[in-house]
C-alpha cells in the first residue's frame, strides 16, 4: 500500500492572511499605508469580520502589519529583501493548534453555560469554595489571566460530567497555545476589561452558590458574549 501523508486544510483566516500578504508583497499596499477597514476587507473578500480580525493578527505576528488600536492597521516595512510567505498562513499538521480565537470562544459559548448550570446543581461545597478562591485571586494577583482560567476550569470540574469538563479544559489549552489568541488579548484585554470580567464572574459565582442553575447558565452566557464583543472591538476605535 502506498504510504499517504495526513492532509490538513488551512484555516480560513490563514487563507485570508495569505491573500493580504500577497498584495503587500506585490506593492499594492506600501510601507506606512493604512489597510482598509475590517468591514471593507470583509465585504471585499466575502468573509466574516471575525476571520479578517484573525488574519490581521496573524500578519502582525509575522511582521507584515502593525495593529494600532484606536487608529487602524498599518503596513510595516520589509526587514530585508523580499518578504517571505508568512508561516502562519501555511497548512498546519497540528489538528487544533491553528483554530481561530473566535471559533474557540464560540465553542466555549456552547459548553460553558451548561457547565455552570450543572455546577449549580451538583457541585460539592469544597468545589464551590475552589471556584470562589479562584475568583478572589483575580483581585489580588497581577496576572489575572491565570486565575481567570482557574475559575472557569473549577466550574467545569464541578459540573459532574467528566467528558464536558475535559472538553472545556481542551478548549482552554488550545486558546493558551494560540499565538493569535494571545496577541488579540494583548491588544484588547485592558485592566478595565479585567475589572468587568471580575464583576461578571461574581454573578456566575453567586448563582452557583445559590444553586440557581438558570441564573448560572445565563450569567456564564452573558460573560462569554461580552468577551466576544470586547475582542471584536474596532481596531480604528479606542478600546473601552
Amino acid at each position: 500500500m502506498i504510504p499517504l501523508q495526513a492532509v490538513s486544510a488551512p484555516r480560513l483566516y490563514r487563507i485570508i492572511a495569505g491573500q493580504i500578504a500577497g498584495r503587500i508583497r506585490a506593492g499594492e499596499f506600501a510601507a506606512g499605508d493604512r489597510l482598509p477597514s475590517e468591514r471593507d476587507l470583509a465585504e471585499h473578500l466575502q468573509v466574516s469580520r471575525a476571520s479578517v480580525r484573525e488574519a490581521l493578527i496573524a500578519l502582525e505576528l509575522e511582521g507584515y502589519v502593525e495593529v494600532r488600536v484606536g487608529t487602524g492597521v498599518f503596513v510595516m516595512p520589509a526587514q530585508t529583501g523580499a518578504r517571505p510567505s508568512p508561516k502562519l498562513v501555511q497548512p498546519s499538521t497540528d489538528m487544533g493548534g491553528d483554530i481561530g480565537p473566535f471559533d474557540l470562544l464560540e465553542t466555549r459559548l456552547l459548553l460553558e453555560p451548561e457547565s455552570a448550570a450543572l455546577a449549580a446543581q451538583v457541585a460539592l461545597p469544597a468545589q464551590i469554595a475552589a471556584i470562589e478562591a479562584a475568583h478572589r485571586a483575580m483581585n489580588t494577583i497581577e496576572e489575572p489571566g491565570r486565575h481567570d482560567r482557574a475559575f472557569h476550569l473549577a466550574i467545569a470540574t464541578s459540573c459532574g460530567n467528566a467528558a464536558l469538563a475535559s472538553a472545556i479544559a481542551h478548549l482552554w489549552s488550545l486558546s493558551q497555545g494560540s499565538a493569535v489568541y494571545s496577541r488579540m488579548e494583548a491588544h484588547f484585554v485592558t485592566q478595565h476589561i479585567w475589572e468587568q470580567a471580575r464583576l461578571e464572574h461574581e454573578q456566575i459565582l453567586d448563582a452557583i452558590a445559590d444553586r440557581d442553575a438558570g441564573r448560572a447558565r445565563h450569567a456564564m452566557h452573558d460573560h462569554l458574549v461580552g468577551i466576544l464583543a470586547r475582542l471584536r472591538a474596532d481596531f480604528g476605535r479606542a478600546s473601552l
Side-chain angles (χ1 to χ4, degrees):
M1 180 176 178
I2 300 173
L4 300 174
Q5 292 183 338
V7 176
S8 175
R11 309 295 179 186
L12 177 59
Y13 82 89
R14 292 174 177 268
I15 297 171
I16 297 167
Q19 290 192 30
I20 297 172
R23 294 190 177 193
I24 292 173
R25 291 196 302 273
E28 293 184 38
F29 299 115
D33 282 355
R34 177 176 174 170
L35 290 183
S37 70
E38 288 175 279
R39 184 184 302 278
D40 289 343
L41 288 169
E43 289 178 356
H44 179 74
L45 295 166
Q46 293 296 292
V47 296
S48 70
R49 289 184 65 185
S51 294
V52 171
R53 164 66 50 90
E54 292 166 347
L56 292 173
I57 293 291
L59 289 172
E60 185 183 37
L61 288 165
E62 288 295 325
Y64 276 79
V65 301
E66 178 186 6
V67 173
R68 303 175 194 168
V69 177
T71 304
V73 181
F74 295 83
V75 177
M76 293 290 287
Q79 297 300 314
T80 55
R83 290 182 183 272
S85 296
K87 296 175 184 176
L88 284 173
V89 299
Q90 299 303 316
S92 171
T93 57
D94 183 347
M95 296 304 289
D98 64 347
I99 297 175
F102 291 110
D103 281 354
L104 292 169
L105 282 167
E106 287 165 1
T107 306
R108 285 179 58 196
L109 184 57
L110 294 173
L111 300 182
E112 291 200 46
E114 293 309 311
S115 170
L118 287 170
Q121 294 174 309
V122 304
L124 300 173
Q127 292 175 321
I128 294 176
I131 298 169
E132 182 174 7
H135 171 61
R136 301 301 173 205
M138 286 183 68
N139 294 314
T140 58
I141 302 295
E142 292 182 357
E143 299 177 314
R146 181 161 60 93
H147 299 287
D148 175 50
R149 179 178 184 273
F151 176 82
H152 284 270
L153 293 186
I155 293 172
T157 300
S158 304
C159 79
N161 185 312
L164 179 57
S166 177
I168 291 171
H170 183 58
L171 287 170
W172 273 88
S173 295
L174 290 176
S175 298
Q176 289 198 308
S178 168
V180 175
Y181 195 109
S182 296
R183 182 61 65 93
M184 195 175 294
E185 280 195 330
H187 283 307
F188 289 101
V189 182
T190 63
Q191 184 59 37
H192 172 71
I193 295 302
W194 280 124
E195 291 169 3
Q196 199 168 348
R198 279 191 284 266
L199 291 174
E200 292 164 357
H201 281 193
E202 187 85 42
Q203 294 175 358
I204 298 166
L205 172 62
D206 288 347
I208 291 173
D210 290 344
R211 302 296 186 179
D212 189 329
R215 185 153 55 93
R217 179 185 292 109
H218 287 300
M220 181 65 82
H221 176 273
D222 290 349
H223 172 51
L224 292 170
V225 167
I227 293 172
L228 279 162
R230 293 187 282 267
L231 291 180
R232 284 175 172 146
D234 196 327
F235 279 142
R237 292 202 301 259
S239 166
L240 299 179

